[in-house]
Every structure is written in structure tokens, then in C-alpha cells.
């Protein structure tokens, strides 16, 4: 610049001409533009190196409130953006360059509750101690941890991995059962999204304060039952050392069923309960707070028959036979059945009634009730606890599988239980008479 042909001070002036900013070539990428979790840092990158000069402006807003975003320049027109959402739901991330939205803006990342290993709760005796020869169990509650995956790693005393049995009780509750083979220190790792939960790894000290494997629970009441009818079994703890016995019964809907425990002799118990619903029941038998072998026992409960014929044989063993049959096979079957039962000394038991002829001395109505109860007219007929067991061929098959012995043991248990009830009734009547 000149004035009257003289240069103006501070001239010449140099003007730098640069290209106009182009927000269309700004690139944004990163998970923070797509998703995130409450309380967790979300990140994404912005590249303006090809866009020319301009101002980068980033704003983040949740469903209700704005979220502070830190824009960090990493060099050469590249930036890292960091924000920490505190609300659940869709967020808006607006990225402008030179007051113009860049491609893809405004982004809408979905923010969820996320996962937190610190909110997973594991509990149960199986995380604290154990007894050799039994199964240990514990439970895991993930209801407050959001979405994620549980991980289990169990290691025995000798470093051998253990295979746990994992049962999903509900979407957020898991039951874990693992075998305890011998004494020593067991290590249990529980992770949530590959992160250890509180107190993990757990150190479980297994030792033998007593012998729970020598506690024996037997009887049909541990296998099957009928709605409204007494289910019985017995528990023999005489070889298990000292320790309290604990019995509980619950149905598949987790409703507790009342249980009666009678100590027949020291550390030998008769147990009874009456199922009320035709769904599976579970019998827990614990000795010194530890499940015995097989516990919990799963019991199949059937509905009560619409027509329940009572022959008066509850708690008793009865055999109905024909004295007038002309069939040689039936006569042979009677002799063979008698021999089988005598080998088991059934004829010497208090709950056994002498063989009952079904033809001589019995009226037709009673005979028809027996046939209807059994569902067949084939003799000889063995009834145990007022339930038809079968004819000779059926009894032989049951004997070969061991089921006959279980039914006979159950009947003895039922007979003892009924005798106790009858004695209590007589004592009650005597007291009432004395009072009157």
C-alpha cells in the first residue's frame, strides 16, 4: 500500500489464503457412538485432518440431562472424546465442525445398566466348608448385576479341575453342585463377564468331622407318593457319629411340607409327611448341616385316585388266594409265592396276616371290591399297605430288582407308625375318661 507514492508503514501485508473447512469429510468412529453402560467411560474418535481449519464442537445429552464430554486433541487434527453416562436409555451425541453437523451426527448411542461383577452375590455352605464323600452346593444371585455371563472354575486339592452341576433356578439365580472327593483345600473361581466377583476365588476347607456317608435314608417315601396319603421313610444315623439330624420337605413350588420325625431308637428315625400337590417334592436330609448322600431326594407325587377303595389293609401284608381253583399253574404259583415270602420271613412279622381265601367264607361284594382294587382277577394276589403289588410273576420280578424288599421295609415302617398313632389315641381316650 502507498500514499502519494510512498509506502504505508507495516506494508507489504501478507495474507494467507487457506481452503474453506469441509465438515463432510470429518470421520467419527468408536463404541461410544453406538452403546455404553451407566457409570462406565464411553469413548469415540473424531478425525478432522482432511476437513481444513474449523472449530470442533461436541455435545452429549441423556434422556433428561446433559452429559459432560471431554474433547482431547491427540495431534494432526485428531481428537478423542470421553463421556460417562449416568442415565439409562438413548442418548444424543451431536458432533459439529465449523457449526455444521458432520456425517452421521447426531449419533444415538443406547446406554444400558451394564454389568457389575461387584453386584453379584454368591452364598452357601459349599463356599465355606465341606465333608469328603458328599456333594457341596452354593448359589449365585445376579439380579443386581445387569446382563452378563457367569463363569465357574473349580479346582480340587491335587489341582485337578472339577466338573460342577449347574442348574438355572431362575433368570438371575443359579445353583451349583460339585463333588467333594477327599480332604484338602478346594478353590472356587466365580466370574461375571470374566471379572471375579467379591471374595472370589473362594477357598473351601474340606475335612472329616464326622461321616455323613454312613447316614442311610431308605423307604418309598423318598421315591414316590400320593396326594393326601402318608409318605414314609427311615433314617439310620447310628454309624455317623455325633450331629443333629435335620429333615425338610418342599414341593416344586418351594412350599414347605410339614414333617413328623419319630426317634424309634437312639439315632434311628421314622420320618413321615403328607404331600398336598401332585408335583415333584424334594426331601432334604442333613446331618450336622451337611446333605447326606443322595440328598435332596426327588419324590414323584401322583394325584389321589378318584375312586380309592379301602380294604382295611393299611400297614399290613396280605395274600388273597383261591382254594377251589382247578388250575395247576395257580396252585403252583401259590406254593412258590408262599416259599418266597417265607424265605424273607414275612410269615413271622407282626404286619403279616394269614393267607386269605377269596372264595370260601367271603361274600361276593367283598370279593368284587378286591378284584376292582387290583384291576385283575388273577390269584394269588399280594397286597402291601392296602395296595395291589401283583401276582406271583409280578412279585418275582419285583424281587429281582430289589423293589419287593423296599416295599416290605416300607410296610414295616408304616405298621410301626400306625401302632404309635393307635397307642397315642388310646392314651388320649384314657386321659379323657379319667378327666370325666
Amino acid at each position: 500500500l502507498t500514499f502519494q507514492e510512498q509506502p504505508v508503514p507495516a506494508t507489504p501485508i501478507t495474507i494467507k489464503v487457506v481452503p474453506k473447512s469441509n465438515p463432510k469429510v470429518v470421520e467419527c468412529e468408536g463404541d461410544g457412538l453406538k452403546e455404553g453402560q451407566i457409570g462406565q467411560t464411553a469413548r469415540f474418535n473424531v478425525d478432522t485432518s482432511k476437513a481444513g481449519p474449523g472449530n470442533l464442537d461436541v455435545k452429549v445429552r441423556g434422556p433428561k440431562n446433559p452429559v459432560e464430554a471431554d474433547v482431547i486433541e491427540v495431534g494432526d487434527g485428531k481428537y478423542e472424546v470421553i463421556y460417562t453416562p449416568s442415565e439409562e436409555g438413548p442418548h444424543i451425541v451431536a458432533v459439529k465442525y465449523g457449526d455444521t453437523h458432520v456425517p452421521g451426527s447426531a449419533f444415538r448411542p443406547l446406554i444400558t445398566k451394564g454389568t457389575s461383577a461387584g453386584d453379584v452375590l454368591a452364598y452357601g455352605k459349599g463356599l465355606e466348608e465341606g465333608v469328603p464323600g458328599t456333594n457341596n452346593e452354593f448359589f449365585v444371585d445376579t439380579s443386581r448385576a445387569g446382563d452378563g455371563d457367569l463363569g465357574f472354575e473349580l479346582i480340587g486339592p491335587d489341582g485337578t479341575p472339577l466338573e460342577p452341576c449347574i442348574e438355572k433356578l431362575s433368570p438371575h439365580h443359579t445353583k451349583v453342585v460339585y463333588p467333594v472327593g477327599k480332604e484338602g483345600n478346594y478353590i472356587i473361581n466365580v466370574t461375571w463377564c470374566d471379572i471375579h466377583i467379591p471374595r472370589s476365588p473362594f477357598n473351601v476347607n474340606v475335612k472329616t468331622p464326622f461321616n455323613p456317608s454312613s447316614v442311610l435314608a431308605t423307604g418309598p417315601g423318598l421315591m414316590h407318593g400320593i396326594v393326601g396319603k402318608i409318605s414314609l421313610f427311615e433314617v439310620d444315623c447310628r454309624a455317623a457319629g455325633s450331629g443333629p439330624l435335620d429333615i425338610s420337605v418342599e414341593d416344586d413350588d418351594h412350599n414347605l411340607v410339614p414333617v413328623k420325625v419319630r426317634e424309634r431308637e437312639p439315632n434311628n428315625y421314622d420320618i413321615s409327611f403328607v404331600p398336598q400337590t401332585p408335583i415333584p417334592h424334594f426331601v432334604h436330609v442333613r446331618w450336622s448341616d451337611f446333605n447326606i448322600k443322595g440328598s435332596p431326594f426327588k419324590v414323584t407325587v401322583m394325584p389321589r385316585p378318584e375312586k380309592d377303595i379301602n380294604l382295611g389293609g393299611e400297614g399290613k401284608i396280605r395274600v388273597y388266594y383261591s382254594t377251589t381253583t382247578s388250575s395247576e399253574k395257580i396252585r403252583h404259583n401259590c406254593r412258590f409265592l408262599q416259599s418266597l415270602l417265607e424265605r424273607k420271613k414275612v410269615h413271622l412279622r407282626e404286619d403279616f396276616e394269614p393267607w386269605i381265601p377269596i372264595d370260601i367264607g367271603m361274600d361276593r361284594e367283598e370279593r368284587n371290591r378286591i378284584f376292582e382294587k387290583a384291576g385283575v382277577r388273577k390269584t394269588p394276589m399280594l397286597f402291601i399297605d392296602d395296595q395291589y403289588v401283583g401276582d406271583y410273576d409280578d412279585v418275582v420280578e419285583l424281587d429281582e430288582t430289589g423293589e419287593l424288599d423296599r416295599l416290605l421295609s416300607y410296610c414295616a415302617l408304616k405298621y410301626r407308625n400306625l401302632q404309635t398313632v393307635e397307642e397315642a389315641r388310646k392314651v388320649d381316650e384314657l386321659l379323657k375318661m379319667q378327666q370325666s
Side-chain angles (χ1 to χ4, degrees):
L1 299 175
T2 59
F3 182 74
Q4 294 182 352
E5 297 182 356
Q6 295 296 320
V8 173
T11 61
I13 300 170
T14 302
I15 299 174
K16 183 179 181 181
V17 178
V18 297
K20 181 181 179 181
S21 64
N22 184 6
K24 292 183 179 180
V25 297
V26 174
E27 297 178 355
C28 301
E29 63 178 2
D31 291 339
L33 297 172
K34 305 173 185 176
E35 59 187 5
Q37 298 172 358
I38 293 176
Q40 301 292 321
T41 300
R43 302 171 182 267
F44 64 93
N45 300 313
V46 181
D47 185 354
T48 67
S49 59
K50 300 177 183 179
N55 295 322
L56 176 64
D57 179 53
V58 179
K59 287 185 172 60
V60 181
R61 183 173 182 82
K64 296 180 180 179
N65 302 303
V67 181
E68 182 179 352
D70 295 327
V71 181
I72 304 171
E73 186 174 4
V74 296
D76 297 329
K78 297 180 180 180
Y79 302 84
E80 182 181 33
V81 181
I82 302 174
Y83 67 96
T84 304
S86 60
E87 298 178 85
E88 182 182 10
H91 281 49
I92 297 175
V93 177
V95 181
K96 292 183 179 181
Y97 193 68
D99 292 329
T100 302
H101 281 283
V102 305
S105 180
F107 301 91
R108 297 182 180 275
L110 179 62
I111 306 302
T112 62
K113 289 182 179 179
T115 61
S116 174
D119 291 327
V120 177
L121 175 64
Y123 58 95
K125 283 279 188 182
L127 296 175
E128 301 168 5
E129 56 188 357
V131 176
T134 65
N135 286 331
N136 256 8
E137 67 180 25
F138 63 92
F139 302 86
V140 182
D141 181 353
T142 62
S143 57
R144 298 183 178 180
D147 297 326
D149 296 316
L150 270 173
F152 299 98
E153 183 185 28
L154 288 76
I155 303 173
D158 56 0
T160 303
L162 303 177
E163 288 294 332
C165 177
I166 301 172
E167 180 182 357
K168 201 78 170 176
L169 302 178
S170 73
H172 301 295
H173 294 84
T174 303
K175 176 183 177 181
V176 181
V177 179
Y178 65 95
V180 179
K182 57 184 179 180
E183 291 187 343
N185 190 48
Y186 289 69
I187 299 175
I188 300 178
N189 296 291
V190 182
T191 58
W192 182 249
C193 296
D194 297 326
I195 301 174
H196 280 275
I197 71 169
R199 296 172 54 209
S200 177
F202 298 86
N203 291 303
V204 182
N205 185 24
V206 173
K207 55 184 179 180
T208 310
F210 59 91
N211 187 6
S213 62
S214 61
V215 177
L216 301 178
T218 57
L222 297 175
M223 297 178 289
H224 49 75
I226 298 176
V227 170
K229 287 200 169 187
I230 295 177
S231 290
L232 291 169
F233 63 95
E234 57 183 322
V235 180
D236 186 349
C237 313
R238 289 173 292 184
S242 61
L245 174 67
D246 178 63
I247 308 287
S248 64
V249 180
E250 62 177 359
D251 62 23
D252 205 21
D253 292 332
H254 306 292
N255 297 311
L256 289 176
V257 178
V259 177
K260 291 184 179 180
V261 180
R262 184 175 72 91
E263 190 171 17
R264 188 167 73 253
E265 55 186 75
N267 284 346
N268 201 4
Y269 303 86
D270 289 344
I271 317 296
S272 64
F273 66 96
V274 180
Q276 300 298 325
T277 51
I279 59 177
H281 283 52
F282 298 90
V283 177
H284 300 265
V285 181
R286 298 182 180 90
W287 183 254
S288 291
D289 293 330
F290 287 94
N291 278 313
I292 71 168
K293 186 176 182 180
S295 177
F297 299 88
K298 184 176 181 180
V299 181
T300 301
V301 177
M302 303 299 293
R304 190 161 188 163
E306 293 183 6
K307 188 175 183 181
D308 192 8
I309 301 175
N310 185 358
L311 300 178
E314 188 175 9
K316 299 175 183 178
I317 302 170
R318 288 176 172 176
V319 180
Y320 295 96
Y321 74 108
S322 172
T323 61
T324 59
T325 180
S326 59
S327 170
E328 187 65 26
K329 181 179 179 181
I330 291 178
R331 290 198 294 269
H332 278 318
N333 286 347
C334 286
R335 291 195 292 270
F336 293 151
L337 179 58
Q338 181 179 7
S339 177
L340 189 156
L341 295 178
E342 287 180 353
R343 286 200 307 270
K344 296 181 179 294
K345 301 187 183 306
V346 172
H347 63 296
L348 302 178
R349 292 171 44 158
E350 292 182 358
D351 55 350
F352 176 74
E353 294 187 349
W355 285 49
I356 304 172
I358 204 168
D359 40 20
I360 298 178
M362 180 180 293
D363 60 46
R364 178 178 297 179
E365 182 179 350
E366 180 66 15
R367 182 164 53 250
N368 288 336
R369 291 177 72 248
I370 295 172
F371 288 149
E372 186 176 358
K373 177 90 171 180
V376 297
R377 303 176 69 89
K378 184 178 179 182
T379 60
M381 297 177 170
L382 175 63
F383 280 76
I384 297 179
D385 188 35
D386 211 38
Q387 300 298 319
Y388 176 65
V389 173
D391 60 12
Y392 171 71
D393 294 331
D394 297 327
V395 173
V396 169
E397 184 176 343
L398 291 173
D399 186 42
E400 291 174 350
T401 62
E403 181 65 18
L404 178 61
D405 289 334
R406 286 193 287 270
L407 291 172
L408 292 172
S409 297
Y410 165 75
C411 193
L413 180 63
K414 184 70 170 289
Y415 181 79
R416 289 195 301 268
N417 185 73
L418 291 173
Q419 292 296 105
T420 302
V421 172
E422 180 63 18
E423 289 171 5
R425 186 187 64 79
K426 290 180 179 179
V427 170
D428 187 54
E429 288 181 354
L430 181 60
L431 288 174
K432 288 180 179 178
M433 290 175 61
Q434 291 174 347
Q435 290 172 358
S436 64

